[in-house]
Amino acid sequence: MEQLKHECGVAMIRLKKPIAYYTEKYHSTRWAMDKLYLMMEKQHNRGQEGAGIACVNLNAPVGEEYMLRERAEGKDAITKIFEKIEHGRLNMEGDNPNFQYSIFNSQLLMGHLRYSTTGKSGLQYVHPFMRRNNWRAKNLCLCGNFNMTNMDEVFHMLTQQGQSPRIKGDAYITLELMGHRLDREVERLYHEAVARGLQGTDITRYIDNNVETGNVLQSTMRHFDGGYVMCGMTGSGEMFAIRDPWGIRPAFWYEDDEVVVVASERPVIQTTFNVSAQTIHELQPGQAVTIRHNGECLTQQILEPKEKRACSFERIYFSRGSDCDIYRERKRLGELLTPAIIKAIDRDMEHTVFSYIPNTAEVAFHGMVDGMRRIGFDARTEKVVWKDIKLRTFISGANERNDLAAHVYDVTYGSIAPHEDNIVIIDDSIVRGTTLRESIFRILDRLQPKKIVMVSSAPQIRYPDYYGIDMSHLEELCVFRAAIALIEERGMHSLIDEVYHLCKTQPDAENHVRKIYEPFTVDELNHKIMQMLKPEGMQTPIQLVFQSIEALHEACPHHSGDWYFTGHYPTPGGTRLVNRAFVEYFENMRS
């Protein structure tokens, strides 16, 4: 119910046949653009702050534009972009003899949906990023679903080489570093062509036909620490997508005799191109799918794969539940919670109503209900909570704003028997707890239930993420705040000082913040969280039930990336940043 701004979405299409083939077969001059539009809309859940596309027409003559980029901000960014492109296409189509060479007949198309992980906004931060040059092969467009954890080190490396980056951001720095490596690859081929006795445009053709994208990726991506799927294309027709060595961020690709496509989620490809899940490949850790100038598609192991730590939050919350495996896993997450829920309601199924909030928790809800029925309990289900409207915070006073926020959600009056029925509400995750305190608990209290059991299909979120989600501050996490409160209540202040000293002096050794939680059981933390989130004056008892780590791994066996819950970050950069976050928390608290 607390929206997390998270992983971005990518979409790529490479046509393998002449444009005339698609026009004749599909009776449309915009077949590829329509497919890109669908792929982006099907991933709208992955980015609602902005969107951008880029495309390349390999047939455009010299002197004409061959690489286009369009970007827009806002939730309707996709619509804005494609309306603008369609307007331009209609103005040029018809008797215009140059239409076949225009940007509207591109063979390479790439789209991106953005959620900010840095808090920076503005069109300049919307992907794709573009690097221009008079040599087609040196033009580079880049976009991705990523967050790099070692940008200070990479920035320092570039400046030591004599470069002067204009922006200290991971997307821009990656573009400049990769662009630099691409320049070197083109220059290598130039000298090779000259040595072969080639001249003039023959040199250009030689370069375009022989660029080794793998060389560029290998010499670029080995410098980065983080979770990423990086996508790009050049003006000469090279296209690629590469996944981080730990497989943190997801990517899938598909190829037939007409197209090669890449997307962040598998069902996007299934629906857009009407193909089965079995024909779609998952990009493996450290692997790249590359498409050459001539349309040849290759998979290359660019970086040595590490232990796969694919993000478990993708399965719990981020990705669309229409993927067959994710659907099954989310149901299993709900089912595995049933023993703890039955205990929380003292087995009183007759006087308990089950519901869910928000919509992303619906599949886990069905799994929870199925789990109850499998062990012989008939679960009563109702739509108890509704998300009503999005209220604007135009009121300046904090009290007035909080009062308005309490009405974002509404309840179904009469759905329970007052003072007799328990309410069990399942959510996919509880991160900050703000919405529970300011809205959900207040509005549920109006129904006068006997007890409220708030269930999370995810375990306790104890640590920030540094690989693509807007969770970077420890103090934002309600579990961390609860642990600190217990430490203070029990006079264990020396523990905070100890952790600060370790984080300050040994930031790369291990995740020292884990020591903050060691003195407490899950139940102790749950009880303190409940005390902190329960609104003042609320009489209804509340109990929290979180998923266990063991159950998470059972439900999602192929996605062991659990650093949000355990603090076991897959990369050195993640460990360093969580220690830095505690240092910042401590110093801000003491200032």
Side-chain angles (χ1 to χ4, degrees):
M1 76 191 61
E2 296 169 306
Q3 185 185 35
L4 291 174
K5 298 175 182 178
H6 50 93
E7 290 90 0
C8 301
V10 296
M12 302 178 75
I13 299 174
R14 174 56 157 93
L15 303 183
K16 297 175 65 176
K17 295 184 179 294
I19 292 294
Y21 169 89
Y22 305 93
T23 304
E24 181 178 350
K25 180 174 180 179
Y26 297 107
H27 309 291
S28 173
T29 58
R30 50 175 294 165
W31 182 81
M33 281 289 182
D34 285 347
K35 293 299 184 185
L36 183 66
Y37 171 77
L38 282 174
M39 291 178 73
M40 293 177 70
E41 281 290 2
K42 292 293 181 182
Q43 296 181 101
H44 210 155
N45 57 299
R46 303 188 71 87
Q48 297 182 32
E49 292 186 2
I53 73 162
C55 49
V56 172
N57 187 338
L58 299 177
N59 298 325
V62 175
E64 297 292 334
E65 181 60 81
Y66 55 88
M67 180 178 266
L68 168 77
R69 178 183 63 169
E70 291 287 353
R71 300 179 295 174
E73 292 184 273
K75 291 187 176 182
D76 60 345
I78 301 173
T79 302
K80 291 178 185 176
I81 290 168
F82 283 91
E83 282 181 348
K84 183 176 181 179
I85 290 173
E86 176 63 5
H87 179 72
R89 186 184 72 88
L90 291 174
N91 285 343
M92 191 172 189
E93 202 174 14
D95 297 330
N96 192 323
N98 293 322
F99 180 72
Q100 62 178 314
Y101 304 119
S102 72
I103 207 70
F104 309 106
N105 282 323
S106 296
Q107 296 89 345
L108 286 75
L109 303 96
M110 182 169 73
H112 184 266
L113 298 118
R114 179 179 190 262
Y115 258 135
S116 169
T117 59
T118 63
K120 296 178 180 178
S121 60
L123 200 60
Q124 63 176 319
Y125 297 106
V126 177
H127 301 211
F129 289 83
M130 181 182 288
R131 194 173 188 261
R132 288 290 203 178
N133 195 282
N134 271 353
W135 290 75
R136 286 199 182 203
K138 289 187 177 183
N139 283 267
L140 177 64
C141 251
L142 206 62
C143 73
N145 169 13
F146 63 91
N147 205 31
M148 304 304 187
T149 63
N150 66 329
M151 289 315 303
D152 289 342
E153 290 83 354
V154 177
F155 184 84
H156 178 73
M157 179 190 74
L158 292 178
T159 56
Q160 288 300 300
Q161 292 175 352
Q163 298 189 50
S164 299
R166 294 181 295 108
I167 302 172
K168 194 176 181 181
D170 50 6
Y172 178 79
I173 294 296
T174 307
L175 175 73
E176 288 302 314
L177 179 56
M178 190 174 293
H180 175 70
R181 300 300 183 184
L182 180 61
D183 289 348
R184 300 290 81 78
E185 173 68 10
V186 171
E187 288 161 12
R188 177 186 71 82
L189 291 170
Y190 175 85
H191 293 299
E192 195 174 281
V194 170
R196 289 171 177 261
L198 300 179
Q199 296 179 351
T201 56
D202 289 339
I203 294 177
T204 302
R205 279 190 289 271
Y206 182 83
I207 293 171
D208 291 351
N209 290 328
N210 291 280
V211 171
E212 291 292 342
T213 307
N215 292 344
V216 178
L217 295 176
Q218 197 165 43
S219 59
T220 301
M221 302 313 297
R222 62 187 174 88
H223 295 289
F224 291 103
D225 178 298
Y228 57 82
V229 170
M230 193 69 65
C231 302
M233 61 187 185
T234 70
S236 60
E238 300 290 322
M239 205 171 198
F240 64 85
I242 179 171
R243 192 178 186 188
D244 67 81
W246 295 268
I248 296 171
R249 300 270 71 89
F252 298 86
W253 65 278
Y254 165 80
E255 180 186 18
D256 60 24
D257 62 336
E258 295 184 348
V259 294
V260 180
V261 295
V262 176
S264 294
E265 298 187 27
R266 182 170 60 180
V268 172
I269 301 175
Q270 288 182 253
T271 301
T272 303
F273 294 91
N274 191 25
V275 296
S276 67
Q278 291 70 33
T279 63
I280 299 170
H281 311 280
E282 182 179 5
L283 197 60
Q284 296 303 308
Q287 189 182 71
V289 56
T290 61
I291 305 99
R292 300 184 68 94
H293 171 81
N294 62 4
E296 179 187 7
C297 180
L298 305 169
T299 54
Q300 299 175 266
Q301 194 65 46
I302 303 298
L303 301 170
E304 180 184 351
K306 310 292 185 182
E307 178 188 358
K308 190 174 181 181
R309 299 293 303 279
C311 174
S312 58
F313 232 136
E314 282 279 351
R315 320 303 280 185
I316 298 169
Y317 173 72
F318 296 140
S319 294
R320 288 161 60 95
S322 56
D323 183 279
C324 56
D325 293 335
I326 293 176
Y327 182 80
R328 182 173 58 250
E329 291 166 12
R330 288 183 182 176
K331 286 196 73 174
R332 184 63 175 153
L333 285 168
E335 182 182 356
L336 291 170
L337 283 161
T338 53
I341 295 170
I342 290 170
K343 181 180 178 181
I345 61 173
D346 296 324
R347 304 178 68 87
D348 187 3
M349 295 294 290
E350 181 182 355
H351 298 101
T352 300
V353 173
F354 295 85
S355 192
Y356 64 91
I357 188 76
N359 290 338
T360 50
E362 183 177 4
V363 177
F365 165 77
H366 288 298
M368 174 183 67
V369 172
D370 286 350
M372 296 289 180
R373 290 169 178 165
R374 283 195 183 96
I375 56 178
F377 291 104
D378 186 18
R380 290 170 54 198
T381 63
E382 300 286 354
K383 179 67 173 175
V384 175
V385 184
W386 302 77
K387 187 165 186 181
D388 210 5
I389 54 174
K390 183 175 179 62
L391 293 163
R392 304 293 179 183
T393 56
F394 57 88
I395 301 295
S396 59
N399 291 335
E400 291 87 347
R401 280 203 310 271
N402 290 341
D403 184 61
L404 285 175
H407 294 82
V408 170
Y409 292 88
D410 208 341
V411 290
T412 304
Y413 293 96
S415 57
I416 71 162
H419 308 295
E420 294 182 14
D421 287 340
N422 305 307
I423 298 177
V424 174
I425 300 284
I426 189 168
D427 190 0
D428 35 44
S429 60
I430 300 172
V431 184
R432 302 175 182 92
T434 307
T435 306
L436 290 178
R437 183 183 65 248
E438 300 298 338
S439 184
I440 298 297
F441 288 155
R442 292 178 186 275
I443 204 75
L444 286 176
D445 194 42
R446 296 184 180 189
L447 296 177
Q448 299 178 310
K450 181 181 177 183
K451 183 180 185 180
I452 297 170
V453 179
M454 191 71 216
V455 183
S456 169
S457 67
Q460 291 179 344
I461 297 174
R462 300 181 173 191
Y463 306 94
D465 178 62
Y466 298 105
Y467 306 116
I469 308 166
D470 68 334
M471 291 194 300
S472 59
H473 301 290
L474 282 162
E475 60 270 25
E476 293 181 351
L477 308 178
C478 63
V479 187
F480 178 78
R481 297 198 306 271
I484 294 297
L486 287 173
I487 288 172
E488 292 175 347
E489 286 178 7
R490 300 181 186 184
M492 301 165 61
H493 300 91
S494 61
L495 176 59
I496 297 177
D497 295 332
E498 176 192 350
V499 171
Y500 170 72
H501 176 75
L502 289 170
C503 291
K504 187 81 170 178
T505 59
Q506 303 175 36
D508 299 313
E510 61 179 287
N511 178 2
H512 305 296
V513 184
R514 299 182 74 238
K515 295 181 182 294
I516 292 293
Y517 299 101
E518 288 177 359
F520 313 114
T521 66
V522 170
D523 287 341
E524 286 177 313
L525 288 166
N526 283 352
H527 184 69
K528 176 51 65 176
I529 295 167
M530 181 274 294
Q531 289 181 339
M532 296 171 69
L533 297 185
K534 188 173 183 179
E536 185 178 352
M538 182 176 176
Q539 299 301 314
T540 305
I542 302 172
Q543 185 170 342
L544 300 180
V545 173
F546 284 89
Q547 188 71 265
S548 69
I549 299 295
E550 296 75 19
L552 170 67
H553 291 161
E554 180 181 338
C556 308
H558 305 298
H559 289 73
S560 60
D562 60 2
W563 56 91
Y564 314 88
F565 319 114
T566 65
H568 296 306
Y569 289 89
T571 79
T575 299
R576 184 169 59 253
L577 288 179
V578 72
N579 288 329
R580 183 186 298 174
F582 189 84
V583 170
E584 291 174 355
Y585 161 77
F586 182 93
E587 293 178 350
N588 289 336
M589 179 183 65
R590 295 296 172 91
S591 62

